[in-house]
Amino acid sequence: SGFSVGGLGSFSGFDDNELYGTQMAILRLGSYHPIGRLPAALGSRVLAGGWIEAGNVWDTRNEVSSDDLKVALTLLVAAETALGPAYLAVGTARGGSTRLYLNLGHRF
């Protein structure tokens, strides 16, 4: 078994599951804050937030090293809408690239 990371919520500057290995270390620090409300017919809260991540995945325990840590930053605006959660996020990673995420409604 192993670990796959990449995509929104897990090294957002990489494609979904782009990074894979049997060893993983990730430190994530983030926060969300309410910034407003939608009209009642459209939903409720609007939030802004973000997180920074440092870590990596490796194939073997012998490869684990802080020398090749990846760092990613994600910024997000989200709302609880009548159609489900909505968000717009941007993620960027050193060693990856920049990704834009847009969603309305529940993910399957």
Side-chain angles (χ1 to χ4, degrees):
S1 75
F3 302 97
S4 294
V5 297
L8 184 63
S10 178
F11 286 101
S12 302
F14 293 92
D15 285 334
D16 288 345
N17 304 312
E18 182 176 344
L19 306 173
Y20 176 84
T22 60
Q23 308 293 313
M24 176 177 73
I26 295 177
L27 175 64
R28 182 178 296 127
L29 179 62
S31 183
Y32 299 98
H33 298 281
I35 60 170
R37 296 195 65 78
L38 295 172
L42 297 179
S44 59
R45 299 186 306 163
V46 178
L47 306 152
W51 56 92
I52 189 166
E53 299 165 292
N56 204 348
V57 291
W58 300 269
D59 289 327
T60 67
R61 187 175 294 220
N62 290 338
E63 293 175 334
V64 175
S65 170
S66 61
D67 293 338
D68 60 354
L69 290 182
K70 301 195 182 309
V71 177
L73 174 67
T74 305
L75 300 175
L76 172 107
V77 175
E80 297 171 354
T81 76
L83 298 175
Y87 60 79
L88 174 63
V90 62
T92 188
R94 185 178 68 203
S97 60
T98 299
R99 304 281 190 272
L100 185 64
Y101 300 90
L102 176 63
N103 185 70
L104 175 59
H106 294 281
R107 294 173 63 181
F108 293 96

